[in-house]
Amino acid sequence: MTLYQPFLERAIATLQSRLDLQPYPIPDGFERKEGVMGKGKKQESVITTSHGFKSDKLRQIRAAHVQGGSSLQVLNLVIFPKLNYDLPFFGADLVTLPGGHLIAIDMQPLFSQDEAYQAKYIEPIMPMFHKYQQDLPWGGDFPQEAQQYFSPAFLWTRPSQTEVVESQVFAAFCDYLDAYINFVEQAEAVKDRPQLSAILQAHKSYANYRAEKDPARGMLTRLYGSEWTEKYIHGFLFDLDQTLALAS
Ligand code: DBV
């Protein structure tokens, strides 16, 4: 059992129990990919698996799970709502490298400057954020240009002990996901045209940013090569542009 396997299993079980999940297609060659990291005796096989679902209000729920021994474990889970809901994105980036653990969990707002939006989707989760931040302190600097995509409830932390990941980070991950599904259950379809077009722009901006700046690009390229990695990023991890292009 690797570090983030229980996170993935719990997320899928929770989503399955609360939403009407359907499979989301995973392009050929991305379900499971094996590579090798390191040299000589330190060589380690690294397996990346992909998981995809959708529901009536969620366009894509997808996870990439990288398993490469005790000093390389990653679970990246992102939920992209359908384009006729004003729901935030759910994002979790759980990363273990030789240097330690790096944890990002958030509900990323479509309209971070909008007060009514904040009252609807951010204020309700602030008590949860403050509770977890006591044990999971701010992890220090991160890319400036990413800031516009984060919420004030962004949990960003670098725990030095694995036990903290297994306990407090696991609890926070479950609570954030539960709170997110509460929002999903309550969400009603948007019909207003100007609002729909603003939602589409926000999705494009977010997906393009995440695809351009994907911090996993270096690691994935070293493991699996640049052609596979670019197809994986644009064709599965952040596939909005390609999906829209295919639909038009
Ligand atoms: N990050 C992804 C995807 C990954 C992934 C799809 C498939 O968006 C992994 C895997 N993140 C990943 C890896 C690293 C990070 C780091 C492997 C380490 C990179 C390295 O050091 O070599 C949050 N993740 C990071 C960093 C940030 C985030 C700020 C630090 C790296 C940097 O400074 O650029 N990822 C970022 C973010 C969300 C997210 C804001 C939203 C919750 O998922």
Side-chain angles (χ1 to χ4, degrees):
M1 178 70 79
T2 55
L3 185 56
Y4 299 118
Q5 183 73 30
F7 290 70
L8 178 61
E9 285 175 10
R10 173 63 171 265
I12 293 173
T14 300
L15 288 160
Q16 251 159 2
S17 74
R18 295 189 59 190
L19 302 172
D20 183 18
L21 285 197
Q22 305 291 324
Y24 186 93
I26 299 171
D28 280 349
F30 297 147
E31 297 93 344
R32 187 177 190 283
K33 183 78 177 166
E34 196 162 346
V36 190
M37 200 64 121
K39 289 196 178 92
K41 279 189 181 167
K42 286 195 176 162
Q43 260 193 6
E44 185 100 51
S45 136
V46 183
I47 295 170
T48 297
T49 56
S50 302
H51 309 264
F53 304 92
K54 60 185 177 174
S55 78
D56 56 346
K57 298 179 188 174
L58 302 174
R59 186 183 71 78
Q60 187 199 33
I61 302 162
R62 104 287 178 279
H65 189 199
V66 181
Q67 298 174 86
S70 58
S71 56
L72 178 57
Q73 294 291 324
V74 178
L75 179 64
N76 182 268
L77 168 67
V78 181
I79 300 179
F80 300 90
K82 285 198 177 164
L83 299 169
N84 59 334
Y85 290 89
D86 70 355
L87 286 162
F89 306 96
F90 179 88
D93 203 17
L94 314 174
V95 180
T96 299
L97 299 173
H101 308 292
L102 183 161
I103 303 294
I105 303 174
D106 200 13
M107 294 189 207
Q108 307 191 301
L110 296 184
F111 310 112
S112 59
Q113 303 305 317
D114 180 329
E115 276 180 35
Y117 193 87
Q118 291 209 3
K120 187 174 179 184
Y121 287 127
I122 294 171
E123 278 163 34
I125 59 169
M126 288 312 286
M128 195 173 72
F129 167 72
H130 290 301
K131 182 180 111 181
Y132 286 111
Q133 215 198 12
Q134 292 173 5
D135 293 320
L136 301 171
W138 182 247
D141 51 68
F142 74 96
Q144 183 72 32
E145 76 265 22
Q147 254 167 57
Q148 59 175 303
Y149 298 106
F150 291 111
S151 86
F154 181 36
L155 209 54
W156 165 244
T157 189
R158 300 172 191 265
S160 50
Q161 293 171 298
T162 301
E163 203 262 318
V164 170
V165 176
E166 292 165 337
S167 54
Q168 279 102 324
V169 172
F170 184 73
F173 175 81
C174 295
D175 270 4
Y176 270 68
L177 187 61
D178 277 333
Y180 184 78
I181 300 172
N182 292 343
F183 287 145
V184 174
E185 286 176 342
Q186 288 156 22
E188 291 185 20
V190 171
K191 304 220 164 62
D192 178 65
R193 283 201 168 257
Q195 204 191 344
L196 286 169
S197 114
I199 291 171
L200 175 62
Q201 287 317 311
H203 274 255
K204 283 185 176 172
S205 161
Y206 180 82
N208 289 340
Y209 173 77
R210 292 289 306 264
E212 288 304 313
K213 304 285 173 172
D214 190 342
R217 180 175 263 111
M219 175 190 77
L220 293 173
T221 302
R222 280 192 293 281
L223 280 167
Y224 308 122
S226 141
E227 190 186 343
W228 185 91
T229 298
E230 295 309 315
K231 282 190 183 150
Y232 190 49
I233 290 173
H234 295 283
F236 180 64
L237 293 176
F238 304 104
D239 71 356
L240 180 65
D241 263 1
Q242 285 196 11
T243 304
L244 292 174
L246 284 174
S248 68

